[in-house]
Amino acid sequence: QVQLLGSGGGSVQDGGSLTLSCSASGYSYSGYCMGWFRQVQGKEREGVAAIGSDGGTRYADSVKGRFGISRDNQKNTLYLVMNNLTPEDTAMYYCAAEPLPRCGPAWYSVEFTYWAQGTQVTVSS
């Protein structure tokens, strides 16, 4: 049974940093495109970043240069390092997995199969 467990959310000041983690179990982690999404209540879900099993990364324009996605295939863990956070980054963050070896350019529009529970990130000004 595929399970994803997200963690690491919290509250920070404008300009602060947070690192989110997502541990995976129950499947061959290395064969999946892994992504981070976020959603503000009342708004559409937004793709934040993704990483394929080949290490290729994708980022939303809004987070390029500030966020870094990585994965540890030995530990079956996905990470999202978020720097220079702004109040506009406030949202519920979700990690997700899709059985694709790479994350294509339209990865954010893919209906990912597996999802973790959300972890809240709040940035105050």
Side-chain angles (χ1 to χ4, degrees):
Q1 183 178 358
V2 175
Q3 288 190 322
L4 299 174
L5 182 63
S7 62
S11 297
V12 296
Q13 295 284 326
D14 191 355
S17 298
L18 281 174
T19 297
L20 305 183
S21 300
C22 178
S23 61
S25 62
Y27 66 103
S28 177
Y29 176 78
S30 62
Y32 280 65
C33 167
M34 303 294 298
W36 286 99
F37 295 79
R38 65 187 181 186
Q39 189 168 22
V40 176
Q41 193 171 7
K43 294 188 177 181
E44 288 191 1
R45 188 175 61 206
E46 174 189 19
V48 177
I51 184 168
S53 58
D54 61 351
T57 57
R58 306 278 187 184
Y59 292 96
D61 288 342
S62 59
V63 306
K64 280 181 182 176
R66 300 188 299 122
F67 289 13
I69 188 171
S70 62
R71 62 193 292 167
D72 185 332
N73 289 341
Q74 297 301 315
K75 295 182 178 179
N76 289 355
T77 302
L78 177 72
Y79 303 97
L80 185 69
V81 176
M82 304 184 293
N83 297 316
N84 196 19
L85 286 160
T86 73
E88 288 68 38
D89 295 314
T90 296
M92 188 72 77
Y93 283 71
Y94 302 86
C95 72
E98 178 63 18
L100 293 170
R102 290 176 297 277
C103 305
W107 65 272
Y108 48 87
S109 63
V110 172
E111 288 295 328
F112 278 59
T113 302
Y114 304 106
W115 292 84
Q117 87 292 352
T119 184
Q120 178 69 37
V121 171
T122 302
V123 185
S124 55
S125 57

